[in-house]
Amino acid sequence: MFKITLKKGFHVIDEINADLDGDSYPDKIYIASSQEEMMELQILIFKNNKGSFSLWAKNDSSPILGEKEYKKTVTKGNYFTLEYTRDLEDKYNIYNYLTFKLRDNNFILHKFSQETYDAKANKKLPIKAWNENNFGIINFNTTTYEFLDHLK
């Protein structure tokens, strides 16, 4: 087994096994959270080198604010999507999808999309989506809450 070093006060809330680089060995993604609700999640990705794991990438200040917002991680090929929700002022329920792609052995932001439900008006608002054409090449480790907030 290998050692996972988490930020102080953090614990693993999800572990995903997926072959992100297509070498037939399942890599690992760990999602870690603090007990404090408004702390960013820590996300660690470990590459499987034929049974020996090494840290591949990490984000210590992800845009997801705590275990309460995080829903799940979905993988497909060399992509993975972090799904999370955010409720604003008891008026809007926002479903966020943050997709990363492995390119040249680095994870980069591929797409960010939001589905918003207006609870007061009882209706879905148009889906908003941004991709590399909008924001350029953004590395996994530098994708933060502040960065995504400026896209809007």
Side-chain angles (χ1 to χ4, degrees):
M1 192 61 192
F2 59 99
K3 182 172 171 53
I4 302 168
T5 304
L6 301 176
K7 290 170 40 174
K8 185 177 180 178
F10 277 59
H11 62 281
V12 174
I13 61 170
D14 201 2
E15 176 183 337
I16 300 91
N17 295 305
D19 184 9
L20 298 168
D21 57 0
D23 66 358
S24 299
Y25 294 94
D27 307 300
K28 293 186 179 289
I29 302 171
Y30 290 96
I31 312 295
S33 178
S34 167
Q35 297 296 336
E36 297 179 40
E37 280 191 32
M38 295 308 287
M39 289 288 292
E40 297 98 348
L41 294 183
Q42 181 183 36
I43 304 167
L44 301 119
I45 305 172
F46 287 86
K47 179 171 178 39
N48 186 339
N49 300 299
K50 299 180 182 177
S52 173
F53 289 88
S54 60
L55 183 62
W56 199 352
K58 75 175 182 172
N59 185 319
D60 286 334
S61 57
S62 83
I64 305 168
L65 300 176
E67 189 171 350
K68 184 177 175 184
E69 285 190 352
Y70 175 76
K71 298 304 172 207
K72 66 180 177 178
T73 299
V74 177
T75 64
K76 183 176 182 181
N78 61 343
Y79 294 86
F80 70 93
T81 301
L82 302 165
E83 298 182 10
Y84 62 103
T85 60
R86 186 162 289 150
D87 296 332
L88 298 177
E89 303 169 7
D90 295 326
K91 182 176 180 183
Y92 297 107
N93 301 322
I94 303 172
Y95 302 89
N96 299 282
Y97 304 91
L98 192 57
T99 302
F100 294 91
K101 178 182 183 179
L102 179 63
R103 182 189 295 161
D104 299 326
N105 208 37
N106 292 306
F107 293 95
I108 60 166
L109 182 59
H110 175 70
K111 183 178 179 182
F112 173 58
S113 61
Q114 292 184 316
E115 297 176 4
T116 303
Y117 178 76
D118 185 333
K120 298 235 186 243
N122 195 26
K123 70 175 184 177
K124 287 184 180 181
L125 301 178
I127 294 173
K128 296 178 184 175
W130 300 266
N131 60 35
E132 288 179 67
N133 294 332
N134 304 110
F135 49 70
I137 296 176
I138 305 299
N139 288 317
F140 169 71
N141 63 336
T142 59
T143 304
T144 63
Y145 175 84
E146 291 80 16
F147 170 76
L148 294 180
D149 199 42
H150 282 69
L151 286 177
K152 304 172 208 168

Short mmCIF file of all heavy atoms in Angstrom, two decimals, residues 38-59:
data_model
loop_
_atom_site.label_atom_id
_atom_site.label_comp_id
_atom_site.label_asym_id
_atom_site.label_seq_id
_atom_site.Cartn_x
_atom_site.Cartn_y
_atom_site.Cartn_z
N MET A 38 -16.93 25.10 4.85
CA MET A 38 -16.56 26.02 3.79
C MET A 38 -15.09 25.91 3.35
O MET A 38 -14.53 26.83 2.80
CB MET A 38 -16.88 27.46 4.19
CG MET A 38 -18.38 27.70 4.37
SD MET A 38 -19.37 27.18 2.95
CE MET A 38 -18.98 28.47 1.79
N MET A 39 -14.47 24.79 3.60
CA MET A 39 -13.09 24.57 3.16
C MET A 39 -13.09 23.87 1.81
O MET A 39 -13.91 22.99 1.56
CB MET A 39 -12.35 23.68 4.17
CG MET A 39 -12.04 24.35 5.48
SD MET A 39 -10.74 25.58 5.33
CE MET A 39 -9.34 24.54 4.98
N GLU A 40 -12.17 24.26 0.93
CA GLU A 40 -12.06 23.62 -0.37
C GLU A 40 -11.64 22.17 -0.20
O GLU A 40 -10.87 21.84 0.70
CB GLU A 40 -11.01 24.32 -1.25
CG GLU A 40 -11.33 25.75 -1.58
CD GLU A 40 -10.61 26.74 -0.67
OE1 GLU A 40 -10.04 26.34 0.37
OE2 GLU A 40 -10.64 27.94 -0.99
N LEU A 41 -12.14 21.31 -1.09
CA LEU A 41 -11.72 19.91 -1.06
C LEU A 41 -10.27 19.80 -1.53
O LEU A 41 -9.78 20.64 -2.29
CB LEU A 41 -12.59 19.08 -2.00
CG LEU A 41 -14.05 18.90 -1.65
CD1 LEU A 41 -14.72 17.98 -2.66
CD2 LEU A 41 -14.23 18.35 -0.25
N GLN A 42 -9.63 18.74 -1.12
CA GLN A 42 -8.32 18.39 -1.63
C GLN A 42 -8.53 17.18 -2.55
O GLN A 42 -9.23 16.24 -2.18
CB GLN A 42 -7.35 18.03 -0.49
CG GLN A 42 -5.96 17.68 -0.99
CD GLN A 42 -5.04 17.27 0.15
OE1 GLN A 42 -5.45 16.62 1.10
NE2 GLN A 42 -3.77 17.63 0.03
N ILE A 43 -7.94 17.24 -3.74
CA ILE A 43 -8.09 16.14 -4.71
C ILE A 43 -6.70 15.65 -5.09
O ILE A 43 -5.85 16.44 -5.48
CB ILE A 43 -8.86 16.62 -5.95
CG1 ILE A 43 -10.21 17.20 -5.54
CG2 ILE A 43 -9.04 15.47 -6.94
CD1 ILE A 43 -10.91 17.98 -6.63
N LEU A 44 -6.49 14.34 -4.94
CA LEU A 44 -5.20 13.74 -5.26
C LEU A 44 -5.40 12.65 -6.31
O LEU A 44 -6.34 11.85 -6.20
CB LEU A 44 -4.58 13.13 -4.00
CG LEU A 44 -4.36 14.11 -2.86
CD1 LEU A 44 -5.16 13.68 -1.66
CD2 LEU A 44 -2.91 14.19 -2.54
N ILE A 45 -4.53 12.62 -7.30
CA ILE A 45 -4.58 11.60 -8.35
C ILE A 45 -3.27 10.83 -8.30
O ILE A 45 -2.18 11.43 -8.35
CB ILE A 45 -4.78 12.22 -9.74
CG1 ILE A 45 -6.02 13.11 -9.75
CG2 ILE A 45 -4.88 11.13 -10.79
CD1 ILE A 45 -6.20 13.92 -11.02
N PHE A 46 -3.37 9.50 -8.20
CA PHE A 46 -2.20 8.63 -8.15
C PHE A 46 -2.14 7.77 -9.40
O PHE A 46 -3.13 7.14 -9.79
CB PHE A 46 -2.24 7.74 -6.91
CG PHE A 46 -1.95 8.48 -5.64
CD1 PHE A 46 -2.96 9.15 -4.96
CD2 PHE A 46 -0.66 8.53 -5.14
CE1 PHE A 46 -2.70 9.84 -3.80
CE2 PHE A 46 -0.39 9.23 -3.97
CZ PHE A 46 -1.40 9.89 -3.30
N LYS A 47 -0.98 7.73 -10.03
CA LYS A 47 -0.75 6.91 -11.22
C LYS A 47 -0.35 5.52 -10.77
O LYS A 47 0.49 5.35 -9.87
CB LYS A 47 0.34 7.52 -12.09
CG LYS A 47 0.64 6.69 -13.34
CD LYS A 47 1.56 7.43 -14.28
CE LYS A 47 1.92 6.66 -15.51
NZ LYS A 47 0.91 5.86 -16.12
N ASN A 48 -0.94 4.53 -11.41
CA ASN A 48 -0.61 3.14 -11.15
C ASN A 48 0.49 2.73 -12.12
O ASN A 48 0.29 2.65 -13.32
CB ASN A 48 -1.86 2.27 -11.35
CG ASN A 48 -1.64 0.83 -10.96
OD1 ASN A 48 -0.53 0.35 -10.89
ND2 ASN A 48 -2.75 0.14 -10.72
N ASN A 49 1.68 2.49 -11.58
CA ASN A 49 2.83 2.03 -12.36
C ASN A 49 2.99 0.53 -12.14
O ASN A 49 3.84 0.10 -11.37
CB ASN A 49 4.11 2.78 -11.95
CG ASN A 49 3.98 4.27 -12.15
OD1 ASN A 49 3.79 4.72 -13.26
ND2 ASN A 49 4.06 5.03 -11.06
N LYS A 50 2.10 -0.25 -12.75
CA LYS A 50 2.12 -1.72 -12.63
C LYS A 50 2.07 -2.17 -11.18
O LYS A 50 2.83 -3.04 -10.75
CB LYS A 50 3.34 -2.29 -13.35
CG LYS A 50 3.36 -1.99 -14.83
CD LYS A 50 4.57 -2.57 -15.50
CE LYS A 50 4.55 -2.19 -16.98
NZ LYS A 50 5.73 -2.64 -17.69
N GLY A 51 1.18 -1.55 -10.41
CA GLY A 51 0.98 -1.94 -9.02
C GLY A 51 1.66 -1.05 -8.00
O GLY A 51 1.40 -1.14 -6.81
N SER A 52 2.53 -0.17 -8.45
CA SER A 52 3.18 0.79 -7.57
C SER A 52 2.60 2.16 -7.88
O SER A 52 2.60 2.59 -9.03
CB SER A 52 4.70 0.77 -7.84
OG SER A 52 5.33 1.79 -7.12
N PHE A 53 2.10 2.84 -6.86
CA PHE A 53 1.42 4.12 -7.08
C PHE A 53 2.32 5.30 -6.74
O PHE A 53 3.09 5.25 -5.78
CB PHE A 53 0.15 4.19 -6.22
CG PHE A 53 -0.93 3.28 -6.69
CD1 PHE A 53 -0.99 1.97 -6.25
CD2 PHE A 53 -1.88 3.72 -7.60
CE1 PHE A 53 -1.99 1.12 -6.70
CE2 PHE A 53 -2.88 2.88 -8.04
CZ PHE A 53 -2.93 1.58 -7.60
N SER A 54 2.22 6.35 -7.55
CA SER A 54 2.94 7.60 -7.28
C SER A 54 2.00 8.77 -7.52
O SER A 54 1.10 8.70 -8.36
CB SER A 54 4.17 7.72 -8.18
OG SER A 54 3.80 7.70 -9.54
N LEU A 55 2.21 9.84 -6.74
CA LEU A 55 1.37 11.03 -6.88
C LEU A 55 1.55 11.61 -8.27
O LEU A 55 2.66 11.89 -8.70
CB LEU A 55 1.73 12.07 -5.81
CG LEU A 55 0.87 13.33 -5.80
CD1 LEU A 55 -0.59 13.00 -5.50
CD2 LEU A 55 1.42 14.32 -4.78
N TRP A 56 0.45 11.78 -8.97
CA TRP A 56 0.46 12.25 -10.35
C TRP A 56 0.07 13.73 -10.40
O TRP A 56 0.68 14.53 -11.09
CB TRP A 56 -0.53 11.42 -11.13
CG TRP A 56 -0.42 11.39 -12.60
CD1 TRP A 56 0.39 12.13 -13.42
CD2 TRP A 56 -1.16 10.54 -13.47
NE1 TRP A 56 0.18 11.80 -14.72
CE2 TRP A 56 -0.76 10.81 -14.78
CE3 TRP A 56 -2.14 9.56 -13.25
CZ2 TRP A 56 -1.30 10.16 -15.88
CZ3 TRP A 56 -2.66 8.91 -14.33
CH2 TRP A 56 -2.25 9.20 -15.64
N ALA A 57 -0.97 14.08 -9.65
CA ALA A 57 -1.46 15.46 -9.63
C ALA A 57 -2.25 15.68 -8.35
O ALA A 57 -2.80 14.74 -7.78
CB ALA A 57 -2.34 15.73 -10.85
N LYS A 58 -2.30 16.94 -7.92
CA LYS A 58 -3.15 17.26 -6.76
C LYS A 58 -3.61 18.69 -6.86
O LYS A 58 -3.00 19.53 -7.51
CB LYS A 58 -2.45 16.99 -5.44
CG LYS A 58 -1.41 17.98 -5.02
CD LYS A 58 -0.92 17.64 -3.63
CE LYS A 58 0.10 18.64 -3.15
NZ LYS A 58 0.44 18.42 -1.74
N ASN A 59 -4.75 18.93 -6.23
CA ASN A 59 -5.31 20.27 -6.13
C ASN A 59 -5.70 20.46 -4.67
O ASN A 59 -6.60 19.80 -4.17
CB ASN A 59 -6.52 20.43 -7.05
CG ASN A 59 -7.04 21.85 -7.07
OD1 ASN A 59 -7.11 22.50 -6.04
ND2 ASN A 59 -7.43 22.32 -8.24
#
